[in-house]
């Protein structure tokens, strides 16, 4: 009986992987856990910065709820913030080329009102 580790198919895959690693020593393997892969919904991003970093807080605001929580916070160097901006611009352009122009919404005021009851004092 042949074990799985010695099957010709698996041996070929191992050789291909080893060849790829030799040909591309700078390859970065990125691991994505199931929990992180599920993602976090956000309908508001608040961006602040200092001289050394950008902070992006992703918030989920619910209709009629006067309180919202930051669901995720990302810290970036100024260089990475600029790369993110460029990558978003490129991806929005690709999306619009395939799906049509994304319509801009009217300016959003905080607190946001999603058609729920308006808070009154």
């Amino acid at each position: 009986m042949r074990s799985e580790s010695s099957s010709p198919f698996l041996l070929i895959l191992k050789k291909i992987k080893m060849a790829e690693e030799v040909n591309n020593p700078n390859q970065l393997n990125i691991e994505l856990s199931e929990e992180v892969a599920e993602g976090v919904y956000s309908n508001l991003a608040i961006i602040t910065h200092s001289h050394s970093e950008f902070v992006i807080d992703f918030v989920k605001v619910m209709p009629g709820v006067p309180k919202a929580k930051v669901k995720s916070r990302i810290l970036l160097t100024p260089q990475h913030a600029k790369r993110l901006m460029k990558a978003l611009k490129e991806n929005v352009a690709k999306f619009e080329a395939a799906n049509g122009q994304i319509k801009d919404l009217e300016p959003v005021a905080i607190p946001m009102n999603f058609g729920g009851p308006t808070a009154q004092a």
Side-chain angles (χ1 to χ4, degrees), residues 2-3 14 26 32-33 37-39 41 46 50 55 58 60 64 82 90 104-105 108 110 113-114 118:
R2 186 183 293 177
S3 73
K14 286 180 185 177
N26 295 326
L32 181 64
S33 70
E38 288 179 19
Y41 178 77
I46 299 170
S50 69
V55 178
F58 293 96
K60 181 168 120 179
K82 193 164 187 174
E90 289 172 3
D104 284 328
L105 300 174
V108 178
I110 297 182
N113 184 354
F114 283 82
T118 304

Side-chain angles (χ1 to χ4, degrees), residues 21-119:
E21 289 173 358
V22 169
N23 291 335
N24 190 1
N26 295 326
Q27 179 179 347
L28 178 63
N29 292 319
I30 299 174
E31 196 172 298
L32 181 64
S33 70
E34 284 186 41
E35 180 183 355
V36 173
E38 288 179 19
V40 175
Y41 178 77
S42 170
N43 52 8
L44 174 67
I46 299 170
I47 303 170
T48 56
H49 66 277
S50 69
H51 69 282
S52 61
E53 64 191 14
F54 279 73
V55 178
I56 308 174
D57 286 330
F58 293 96
V59 182
K60 181 168 120 179
V61 180
M62 297 300 295
V65 179
K67 188 174 183 179
K69 288 187 177 183
V70 171
K71 296 307 231 173
S72 183
R73 172 175 277 187
I74 306 297
L75 305 170
L76 302 164
T77 64
Q79 293 80 11
H80 283 115
K82 193 164 187 174
R83 285 187 194 137
L84 175 61
M85 182 182 69
K86 182 180 177 187
L88 282 170
K89 184 177 180 181
E90 289 172 3
N91 278 272
V92 166
K94 289 176 187 177
F95 178 91
E96 289 182 330
N99 301 289
Q101 187 172 7
I102 300 169
K103 294 179 184 175
D104 284 328
L105 300 174
E106 60 278 353
V108 178
I110 297 182
M112 299 168 75
N113 184 354
F114 283 82
T118 304

Side-chain angles (χ1 to χ4, degrees), residues 3-16:
S3 73
E4 285 187 29
S5 63
S6 64
S7 78
F9 180 72
L10 289 176
L11 289 174
I12 290 169
L13 284 178
K14 286 180 185 177
K15 287 180 182 178
I16 290 171

